[in-house]
Amino acid sequence: MTGFSEILVSQQTRLERLAAISEPLRQPQEIIRIADQGRGLEAEDIASLYAAARDQARRAELQAAANRIRMQWARKTVEFIIPVYLTSFCQNECLYCGYRQSNPIAERVRLGQEDFDKQLDLILSWGHRQIELVLSDDPEFGPEMVARYVAATRRKLDALGGGMVALCSPVYKQEDYVRLREAGLDWVVEWQETYHRPHFDRWHYGSSPKRAFESRLDLWDHVIAAGITRIGMGVLLGLYDFRHDTLAVIEHGNYLRRTYGIEPHALGIPRLKPARGVLASQKPNRFTVSDDDFRLVVSAYHMAFPTSRLFFNTRESYDLNISLVSAGDLFTVDCETLPGAYLRRHLPGQFSTHDYPPRREVAATLERRGLAAQYLAEDTPCQVALAAPVRGTAIDTKRWLDEHAQVRARLQDWETALQRLSTHGAQAIERQAADACLRESLEYFKAVLTTHGRQEESELFPALASGAEAAAKIAALCAEHERFGVDLDKFERQMISYGLSKDPTVLLTLGSRMIREMRAHLEAEEQLLR
Ligand code: SF4
């Protein structure tokens, strides 16, 4: 079977050219008149709107037109959806992702059937009726096992009157999608990440199976051939020029429209966000998408596919999402990205997420705007107990102080090794001893971040939190854990550079800063304990 990969090869130059135009090819008012008819737009039209939107006043006009078109053509509902992660083990090296194989501080969890059932019962009791099963590329969690989880979800939803099951997984074979459909799967979510081949190769490193660019491009042809016609497509905004990538999504969506008569069921709008231990996600790059451009992408998709759902997710702040969500969109309110985390709450997972108001409050806000919340039933009682301690739980202060004392002793060893390197680094024997000590420190602190840091976040911090001031301090401490992960990654790379250059300058500066910051961090935590 041929698929979209062949089309893209012939259209790559055209898409690059369209992404770069600075003057509209056609007058925006004329394009809006076409969009008003509700049949969607071609990549050329959206490229023209992008060009016109370089002028701020025109950008606002386009956004107003997109809202109007959306309210005219889409159903007056917003669908709630909740992700349920199944595994965080991964054989891929996507440089933007907290679950990439080589991330030493990623928490690896494979959800067993018992915990899965317990967690599903809990979130169904909250009223959720649209479940997105999500998993990384875990060789021990293949499509047959996924089909069992799909079937279990389907059974539970049907027993409650129905609902939707979506799946975001590695790319499978056509026959696997047949099996998944038979198990009760309604729709498939898959982001191309970027349609720009050189950048796709750059972001998907080493021998990752995910580097199979063409298989990803042809996925929808296989999914549709397997009988699943609801597809959720998109890119990760921030991996390449957003104009190019969103025009490619529109080209791909129009290909599906022409070839199969199918509108995309959903369009993803994930933006690259910081992830624990992921250096590439921490700093803005030249493709970082501003809030203003993010709003423009939302308008462009709304006009290009006036009945497809835009998938608003908790990577973005609530205020931004609620200001943009419109008729017919998808909205995530409760979101944990670590397998099993709904039972433990607020553990760092694949990427950083924002806190949102309670789901009923969000539904009420949407209702005031004339949009009914779908896939959100009434709350029902549930016997599942959350594992995380609640506020007021007795805190074992001695335990935490003892653990801090051990960390301080290791910081002292680390500092001594750095001093040794700075004063005697020219002597081979001293250098080897310092190297060994630094490597040991590195391994120790990686382990501390995944065990002690994680335990603080799941056990200590929830028990401490009381009042806005304490909550702000705790949020800052969690952010510091995340930053230490990135710094350790940097330190490890500097060890390699130092091994080649024998110049320890950067290593010494970075190490000293980290030690200073870790000591201040311990002190701040202890102030909260007192
Ligand atoms: S994006 Fe998916 S495949 Fe890539 S590292 Fe993360 S979990 Fe694995």
Side-chain angles (χ1 to χ4, degrees), residues 31 34 47 92 106 121 142 222 267 371 407-408 445 455 488 519:
I31 297 171
I34 298 169
N92 285 317
D121 286 344
H222 294 288
L267 292 163
L371 300 169
V407 175
R408 281 201 174 87
F445 283 103
Q455 283 165 2
L488 285 172
R519 283 183 175 140

Side-chain angles (χ1 to χ4, degrees), residues 233-294:
M233 60 193 300
V235 284
L236 178 56
L237 298 164
L239 298 188
Y240 184 59
D241 173 41
F242 79 88
R243 290 182 176 81
H244 171 276
D245 274 347
T246 54
L247 291 176
V249 170
I250 290 164
E251 186 74 6
H252 200 165
N254 279 321
Y255 159 81
L256 298 176
R257 212 181 234 161
R258 276 193 302 273
T259 314
Y260 304 106
I262 287 172
E263 297 284 313
H265 181 72
L267 292 163
I269 43 171
R271 254 196 308 184
L272 183 59
K273 292 284 164 166
R276 200 178 164 97
V278 178
L279 185 58
S281 69
Q282 302 293 318
K283 290 187 290 191
N285 65 46
R286 70 193 170 105
F287 301 125
T288 297
V289 178
S290 68
D291 283 358
D292 218 22
D293 286 339
F294 181 71

Side-chain angles (χ1 to χ4, degrees), residues 15 204 369:
L15 289 172
H204 303 98
R369 286 165 44 184

Side-chain angles (χ1 to χ4, degrees), residues 90 92-94 96-97 99-100 136-137 193 210 350:
C90 194
N92 285 317
E93 274 298 334
C94 310
Y96 45 81
C97 178
Y99 289 159
R100 70 189 160 85
S136 45
D137 196 349
E193 315 300 9
K210 192 165 167 180
Q350 189 181 22

Side-chain angles (χ1 to χ4, degrees), residues 85 87-101 108 134-138 168-170 190 193 203-204 208 210 216 236 315 350:
Y85 276 64
T87 173
S88 58
F89 287 85
C90 194
Q91 57 179 331
N92 285 317
E93 274 298 334
C94 310
L95 291 179
Y96 45 81
C97 178
Y99 289 159
R100 70 189 160 85
Q101 187 183 40
R108 304 295 177 183
V134 183
L135 68 155
S136 45
D137 196 349
D138 177 354
C168 179
S169 69
E190 198 74 62
E193 315 300 9
W203 284 106
H204 303 98
S208 297
K210 192 165 167 180
R216 220 170 170 76
L236 178 56
R315 287 171 184 255
Q350 189 181 22

Side-chain angles (χ1 to χ4, degrees), residues 23-71:
E23 289 299 325
L25 304 170
R26 187 156 38 166
Q27 281 309 306
Q29 287 313 323
E30 197 184 328
I31 297 171
I32 290 170
R33 267 198 299 281
I34 298 169
D36 268 330
Q37 294 164 18
R39 290 200 296 268
L41 294 174
E42 295 293 328
E44 271 75 6
D45 298 327
I46 297 295
S48 289
L49 296 182
Y50 281 158
R54 291 178 196 266
D55 174 279
Q56 282 300 325
R58 285 177 114 182
R59 183 177 284 230
E61 277 171 35
L62 297 177
Q63 283 164 347
N67 278 338
R68 181 173 44 72
I69 290 163
R70 190 68 178 181
M71 290 306 278

